[in-house]
Amino acid sequence: MEKNIGEDGEFIRILWCDNANIIRGKALYVNKENISQKMPLKVGISSGQQGVPVMYDQVIESSLLTPVGEIELEADLQTLTPLPYAPGNFRAMGDMNLNGKNWEYCPRGFLKRMIAKLFKLGISIKASFENEFYLLDLEESKDILPREKTPFASTYSLDLNQEFIRDVVYALHKQDIMVEQYYSESGPGQQEITIKFQEALGAADNQIAFRETVKAIALQKGMIASFLPKLFPQESGSGCHLHLSLWKNDKNISGSSDDAYGLSTEGKYFIAGVLHHLPALMGISTPTTNSYHRIKPHTWSGAFRCWGIDNREAAIRVISEKDNFVKHFEIKTVDASSNPYLALGAVIFAGYDGIKNKMTLPEPVQQDPGTLSSDERSIKGIRTLPTHLDQALTYLEKDRDLMDALGSKLSQAYLAVKKAEFEYFKDLSHQEEVEILLDKF
């Protein structure tokens, strides 16, 4: 990196994502002398930060954290990259350390532990977060207005937004994040950009970088990019579907051409584990009151606890291939208000649990489960997933295996933050909720 540091120095932004799922950072000023002396790239932050909710910067008492105490946020130099949209600035993802060891409350550390746990079975994960977001014009009246009103996959939208998209793609590629597809989504001004899969830790890092890049370039264009799950009550919500594949010895082992559904034995166990833990997982993957305005039947958001082949109404969609060999699958109950380290780490644990305990995968659901009667769903073993954040948090708190995987300290702090957020937002109108959360996600 030394050759990239200017004579007068540069800022290095060291980022973390907290239990409120806010991306935060401190900028460390460095020059060639610092780098040549190999000074560690780290900053201090209050340990109380992991007990701060989304609505205000005060530590929640039940998190058992206080404003007293300091931890080190150390840059992972493998993630260090110049920011094409912010000349004179670099960015690195930070690890939370205390006394030279990873701090128990560190979300990125949790993901690393889950990656290592699954790897003990000889299996690794490659993943990608598939983001939907809205482009907005913020008028002097403070009304939140969509950038345009084109329909799904509109070619006119491609023209209207081509300069913004071009700059986003350029900036992502400069950060070694490869874009695969782009199109306008169903909502007015809603966009979707898909990026190439990466090993699990890199996928979570990429999700942070993606959100940062899109929002920064939108701001430069005089717009706001919002990843809020449900921005407009009557329009499409924005998901952040998680795509996953299982690997062993550099080979994709998600599928098998010998299986009726194209899934390998490990793939079936993994999906069964995710289904088993899914109501609890949603306390992490869809972690705001706003998340549950999006997850409704007939909206392709996965409102029911089931899986299906190419079924966009199922919570888990297995993507078919011509050779009957599944290469990856998609979890739909994820949005960008989640901490990607916690969400992906929790999913990996659930899949690990499924493999370890050889959980049985039920039959796929090959129709819209929302069109079935409650008796028909019951016969097929289809259950409605949580419809409110407090329900998901109750499932999470009762899921002792997942809570143990998080660890007593991280789980305590996380639940304290989320319960405080639910109590704060539960009686607010949708408009009041959006006004508070718009600048957060």
Side-chain angles (χ1 to χ4, degrees):
M1 191 193 81
E2 182 177 350
K3 66 184 181 199
N4 295 321
I5 295 293
E7 293 294 335
D8 297 327
E10 311 280 3
F11 278 109
I12 296 180
R13 304 177 184 182
I14 307 177
L15 270 54
W16 77 98
C17 189
D18 64 13
N19 282 331
N21 311 316
I22 303 296
I23 301 173
R24 302 181 188 265
K26 282 190 172 183
L28 183 68
Y29 190 74
V30 301
N31 55 38
K32 286 192 173 183
E33 182 178 353
N34 298 142
I35 298 300
S36 64
Q37 294 175 358
K38 301 188 183 303
M39 294 179 65
L41 299 180
K42 56 187 178 183
V43 294
I45 59 174
S46 166
S47 58
Q49 280 293 159
Q50 289 303 93
V52 172
V54 73
M55 57 277 185
Y56 49 68
D57 283 339
Q58 297 177 18
V59 182
I60 300 299
E61 184 176 354
S62 56
S63 71
L64 304 185
L65 292 166
T66 73
V68 179
E70 190 87 354
I71 62 167
E72 291 182 333
L73 186 70
E74 185 167 352
D76 181 344
L77 295 181
Q78 293 186 354
T79 69
L80 189 66
T81 181
L83 298 179
Y85 55 82
N89 284 263
F90 287 70
R91 181 190 57 235
M93 305 305 168
D95 290 309
M96 299 174 179
N97 296 328
L98 180 64
N99 299 324
K101 296 181 179 179
N102 189 247
W103 194 39
E104 299 100 315
Y105 295 87
C106 178
R108 198 166 186 263
F110 166 67
L111 174 56
K112 289 180 180 181
R113 292 195 300 273
M114 295 305 101
I115 291 170
K117 180 182 282 286
L118 184 61
F119 195 70
K120 288 181 180 178
L121 302 180
I123 298 172
S124 60
I125 292 292
K126 292 186 179 181
S128 179
F129 291 86
E130 180 185 69
N131 289 274
E132 298 165 336
F133 60 93
Y134 275 85
L135 285 178
L136 309 171
D137 287 325
L138 192 60
E139 299 293 316
E140 292 183 3
S141 63
K142 302 302 181 184
D143 289 336
I144 299 170
L145 302 175
R147 173 72 170 167
E148 34 94 347
K149 297 182 179 180
T150 60
F152 171 76
S154 165
T155 54
Y156 185 43
S157 180
L158 299 183
D159 293 329
L160 285 171
N161 300 301
Q162 62 88 19
E163 182 179 332
F164 164 78
I165 296 297
R166 179 199 64 202
D167 289 352
V168 167
V169 171
Y170 172 83
L172 290 172
H173 283 190
K174 284 291 184 179
Q175 298 169 76
D176 294 325
I177 300 173
M178 297 297 107
V179 171
E180 293 192 322
Q181 289 188 57
Y182 157 66
Y183 47 88
S184 65
E185 262 293 351
S186 300
Q190 192 181 29
Q191 313 294 313
E192 180 169 314
I193 300 174
T194 62
I195 59 177
K196 187 175 177 61
F197 63 81
Q198 181 62 273
E199 50 81 23
L201 183 62
D205 289 339
N206 281 355
Q207 173 63 1
I208 299 292
F210 183 91
R211 281 175 57 188
E212 289 281 283
T213 300
V214 168
K215 290 183 77 70
I217 292 178
L219 185 64
Q220 291 176 354
K221 303 292 184 184
M223 298 183 288
I224 293 174
S226 174
F227 292 83
L228 201 61
K230 192 67 171 179
L231 188 60
F232 301 112
Q234 305 305 320
E235 302 293 350
S236 297
S238 291
C240 179
H241 305 156
L242 177 57
H243 290 255
L244 294 162
S245 55
L246 281 59
W247 293 73
K248 181 181 287 187
N249 298 325
D250 295 324
K251 181 181 178 182
N252 188 332
I253 62 162
S254 305
S256 170
S257 56
D258 296 328
D259 181 71
Y261 305 128
L263 287 165
S264 67
T265 299
E266 294 93 339
K268 288 187 283 190
Y269 288 155
F270 192 99
I271 294 172
V274 174
L275 279 176
H276 174 74
H277 290 280
L278 191 55
L281 287 174
M282 288 176 64
I284 299 174
S285 64
T286 51
T288 61
T289 54
N290 186 264
S291 299
Y292 295 85
H293 302 319
R294 179 182 76 91
I295 301 174
K296 304 288 184 183
H298 314 303
T299 61
W300 295 14
S301 58
F304 295 94
R305 189 180 182 182
C306 61
W307 75 283
I309 300 170
D310 297 328
N311 186 349
R312 285 176 167 81
E313 279 291 338
I316 300 179
R317 176 174 73 104
V318 169
I319 293 92
S320 65
E321 299 285 344
K322 291 181 180 179
D323 56 3
N324 194 40
F325 184 100
V326 170
K327 293 182 174 63
H328 74 289
F329 55 93
E330 171 192 48
I331 302 173
K332 302 185 78 66
T333 51
V334 184
D335 65 51
S337 71
S338 66
N339 182 316
Y341 302 110
L342 295 179
L344 182 51
V347 166
I348 290 174
F349 168 76
Y352 163 87
D353 196 33
I355 294 173
K356 183 180 178 182
N357 292 296
K358 298 182 179 180
M359 293 184 183
T360 301
L361 184 66
E363 291 296 307
V365 174
Q366 294 305 108
Q367 61 192 114
D368 181 350
T371 63
L372 302 173
S373 69
S374 57
D375 287 342
E376 289 173 321
R377 286 197 295 268
S378 180
I379 291 171
K380 293 177 178 290
I382 302 169
R383 300 288 183 268
T384 302
L385 286 166
T387 56
H388 299 283
L389 177 59
D390 60 330
Q391 292 178 348
L393 294 178
T394 298
Y395 277 112
L396 176 59
E397 194 166 16
K398 291 181 178 179
D399 191 325
R400 298 315 312 171
D401 292 330
L402 181 51
M403 291 287 282
D404 288 345
L406 285 163
S408 60
K409 293 182 178 180
L410 177 56
S411 60
Q412 172 76 29
Y414 182 81
L415 280 171
V417 167
K418 289 298 152 188
K419 287 180 179 181
E421 290 177 358
F422 173 74
E423 289 299 321
Y424 186 90
F425 284 101
K426 67 179 182 180
D427 296 323
L428 298 185
S429 68
H430 184 268
Q431 181 178 352
E432 290 170 327
E433 183 184 67
V434 167
E435 287 175 355
I436 293 170
L437 296 177
L438 182 64
D439 289 337
K440 308 297 194 305
F441 304 112

